[in-house]
Amino acid sequence: MDSAPEIDPQHQDPKNIRTLLTVMARLRAPGGCPWDVEQTFDTIAPFTIEEAYEVADAIARNDLTDLKEELGDLLFQTVFHAQMASEVDAFTFDDVVEAVTTKMIRRHPHVFGDDKTRTQEEQGRAWEEMKAAERAAKGKTSLLDDVPFGLPALTRAVKLQKRAARIGFDWPSAREVLHKINEETKELADAVDQDDPDAIEDEFGDLLFVLANLSRHLKIDPEHALRRANEKFSRRFRAVETRHNGAEEKPDLETMEAWWVDAKATEKNR
């Protein structure tokens, strides 16, 4: 590996992407940061996912100041991966930029080409056809081949189901999915009665998968719905926790349930 490039921050433009690339190279070079030098694609991947979630969190909180910082952290992850790739002569940051720029131009002929008359529906079909051609060019023959394994499981379930629905492999409405939920719930109950840990996990997964399918039919993002439920639980539990901490004696579950109902009623009356 080459020696670390010298950087004088006083004479570098912090708004120039080249400065960031040089900083990254300096961190990875001999004499740089030991932690950064030890990292690999595998060890950095969890941080990349975490930074993407922090971007989403800033957006959910409508905190644009925080969003600016989190987008920078996410950009740094791209720079980090590109630097590691350049060290093994796989590709560079410039190659990453070229690839995505070329792809976006190719996928938007109605903007950058001569075809200016497509409707939104026509463009959607054309987009999917282009993606299918790209999958085929990479030797991927199944509709499911490029659904990322690293996605949150509920999100991946919805994407898998959407892909399958393209060839008609889908329930016609949410009502049929609700029937399937009842069936899967019974199968889970049977597995619990049999006290079979492997079967319980399998049936629980099936139930979650069908619930994800229901969210798709209801046009609900299951991750967003669960985040709402998490926040609702947190708000109400904090109200219970406050009364718990102020109680003279340790309250029983029935008492805490009553406090929970009070917290729920207070929210509804606001």
Side-chain angles (χ1 to χ4, degrees), residues 121-160:
E121 182 178 352
E122 289 170 339
Q123 174 53 28
R125 286 197 300 269
W127 178 276
E128 294 303 335
E129 289 170 0
M130 282 184 280
K131 290 180 70 175
E134 290 169 4
R135 284 195 298 271
K138 295 177 181 178
K140 298 178 178 180
T141 57
S142 171
L143 285 170
L144 310 181
D145 278 345
D146 61 346
V147 180
F149 283 96
L151 288 172
L154 281 174
T155 299
R156 186 164 190 266
V158 171
K159 285 186 175 293
L160 290 170

Side-chain angles (χ1 to χ4, degrees), residues 79-91:
V79 169
F80 206 137
H81 285 285
Q83 173 62 32
M84 291 188 291
S86 71
E87 293 166 6
V88 295
D89 295 324
F91 58 82

Side-chain angles (χ1 to χ4, degrees), residues 8-262:
D8 180 0
Q10 302 259 344
H11 297 88
Q12 297 286 329
D13 180 3
K15 294 184 179 180
N16 190 323
I17 188 64
R18 295 296 156 189
T19 302
L20 179 58
L21 294 172
T22 307
V23 168
M24 185 70 255
R26 176 74 176 83
L27 291 172
R28 288 278 295 178
C33 173
W35 186 89
D36 289 280
V37 170
E38 292 175 358
Q39 300 313 303
T40 66
F41 294 113
D42 287 336
T43 61
I44 287 297
F47 295 98
T48 307
I49 294 170
E50 180 179 339
E51 294 299 349
Y53 276 120
E54 290 182 3
V55 167
D57 179 67
I59 293 171
R61 292 184 285 105
N62 195 29
D63 188 337
L64 297 186
T65 300
D66 201 16
L67 177 60
K68 176 185 68 175
E69 181 176 346
E70 298 302 344
L71 285 171
D73 291 344
L74 185 57
L75 173 61
F76 186 73
Q77 292 295 307
T78 300
V79 169
F80 206 137
H81 285 285
Q83 173 62 32
M84 291 188 291
S86 71
E87 293 166 6
V88 295
D89 295 324
F91 58 82
T92 67
F93 181 80
D94 287 347
D95 295 327
V96 173
V97 174
E98 180 186 22
V100 70
T101 301
T102 301
K103 181 165 62 177
M104 288 302 102
I105 292 173
R106 182 177 68 249
R107 288 184 176 179
H108 293 83
H110 57 299
V111 177
F112 301 106
D114 296 329
D115 187 358
K116 308 289 186 181
T117 60
R118 285 181 179 172
T119 64
Q120 183 175 350
E121 182 178 352
E122 289 170 339
Q123 174 53 28
R125 286 197 300 269
W127 178 276
E128 294 303 335
E129 289 170 0
M130 282 184 280
K131 290 180 70 175
E134 290 169 4
R135 284 195 298 271
K138 295 177 181 178
K140 298 178 178 180
T141 57
S142 171
L143 285 170
L144 310 181
D145 278 345
D146 61 346
V147 180
F149 283 96
L151 288 172
L154 281 174
T155 299
R156 186 164 190 266
V158 171
K159 285 186 175 293
L160 290 170
Q161 294 156 3
K162 282 183 178 179
R163 292 292 180 88
R166 290 180 190 172
I167 61 170
F169 192 71
D170 192 15
W171 283 292
S173 72
R175 181 62 58 186
E176 285 79 9
V177 185
L178 286 168
H179 291 321
K180 186 64 176 178
I181 288 173
N182 290 333
E183 178 184 324
E184 294 295 347
T185 302
K186 182 181 183 306
E187 291 179 4
L188 176 58
D190 291 342
V192 171
D193 289 341
Q194 295 167 13
D195 196 23
D196 183 339
D198 186 65
I200 290 171
E201 181 176 355
D202 190 56
E203 297 299 343
F204 186 75
D206 289 347
L207 180 57
L208 285 176
F209 191 82
V210 179
L211 284 169
N213 210 329
L214 179 62
S215 76
R216 183 173 61 85
H217 279 271
L218 297 177
K219 296 180 171 53
I220 293 172
D221 177 351
E223 295 286 344
H224 185 265
L226 186 55
R227 283 195 294 271
R228 283 186 62 181
N230 288 342
E231 289 307 306
K232 182 166 58 177
F233 174 84
S234 297
R235 288 193 310 270
R236 293 174 182 175
F237 176 76
R238 288 190 181 100
V240 172
E241 188 178 28
T242 298
R243 297 178 71 169
H244 178 280
N245 293 340
E248 294 183 0
E249 298 181 0
K250 183 178 179 179
D252 57 20
L253 179 59
E254 184 177 354
T255 299
M256 288 190 287
E257 284 280 3
W259 293 344
W260 176 273
V261 172
D262 288 345

